[in-house]
Amino acid sequence: MSTPQQTPTTSQAEAAIRKARGALKRYRFMAILTGVMLLILCVELFFKYVVPVELVVDYLGWVPFAHGWIYVVYLVTVLDLWSKMRWGFGRLATMVFAGVVPVMSFILEKRVHADADAKLVALEERYAA
């Protein structure tokens, strides 16, 4: 037997919107940081394999490890935002891949932020009345 879907109260909706906005801010920060680290990783790999410059490789040897751990934190923020916004699995997969494709995180972050912000503004207007 299915139970009827209950509409949230105004205070519940405000709390959910506040949490979603916090998740959006964390996602935005991590998407930009992950994108920057991925570009630095590409530069490091270029100097390591294409133009072997030992001095540069010695100073940038930490980049793959840093990007790996930053990517893990990025995945947590992606899952957090995705679950709060109740998007489909296609959006989740796209957001996950954006952390490993150079420049894609910057482009997708802009789109995700615009979509999420529009949805949250509509919810705020719906529950403000």
Side-chain angles (χ1 to χ4, degrees):
M1 186 188 300
S2 75
T3 59
Q5 190 176 16
Q6 296 178 349
T7 17
T9 64
T10 303
S11 62
Q12 289 172 332
E14 287 173 354
I17 291 168
R18 188 178 61 253
K19 288 178 183 179
R21 287 213 178 273
L24 183 59
K25 286 179 186 176
R26 289 186 296 276
Y27 165 76
R28 182 176 226 183
F29 174 79
M30 288 308 301
I32 292 169
L33 181 61
T34 302
V36 167
M37 287 304 298
L38 186 57
L39 291 176
I40 293 171
L41 178 64
C42 290
V43 168
E44 190 262 344
L45 292 174
F46 176 78
F47 281 119
K48 185 175 183 178
Y49 295 112
V50 178
V51 182
V53 178
E54 289 300 321
L55 182 63
V56 174
V57 173
D58 290 341
Y59 286 111
L60 294 178
W62 58 272
V63 172
F65 301 106
H67 171 68
W69 284 107
I70 288 171
Y71 181 69
V72 169
V73 176
Y74 168 77
L75 289 178
V76 171
T77 61
V78 163
L79 285 171
D80 184 35
L81 179 63
W82 174 77
S83 66
K84 284 182 175 47
M85 298 304 296
R86 298 182 180 188
W87 285 324
F89 286 106
R91 174 73 58 102
L92 175 64
T94 306
M95 291 168 73
V96 166
F97 289 127
V100 293
V101 177
V103 185
M104 186 175 168
S105 67
F106 300 117
I107 295 167
L108 189 65
E109 181 277 323
K110 198 172 205 176
R111 175 177 281 169
V112 165
H113 190 268
D115 290 350
D117 195 44
K119 185 175 181 180
L120 292 173
V121 165
L123 284 172
E124 285 172 341
E125 289 172 358
R126 177 179 174 190
Y127 285 98

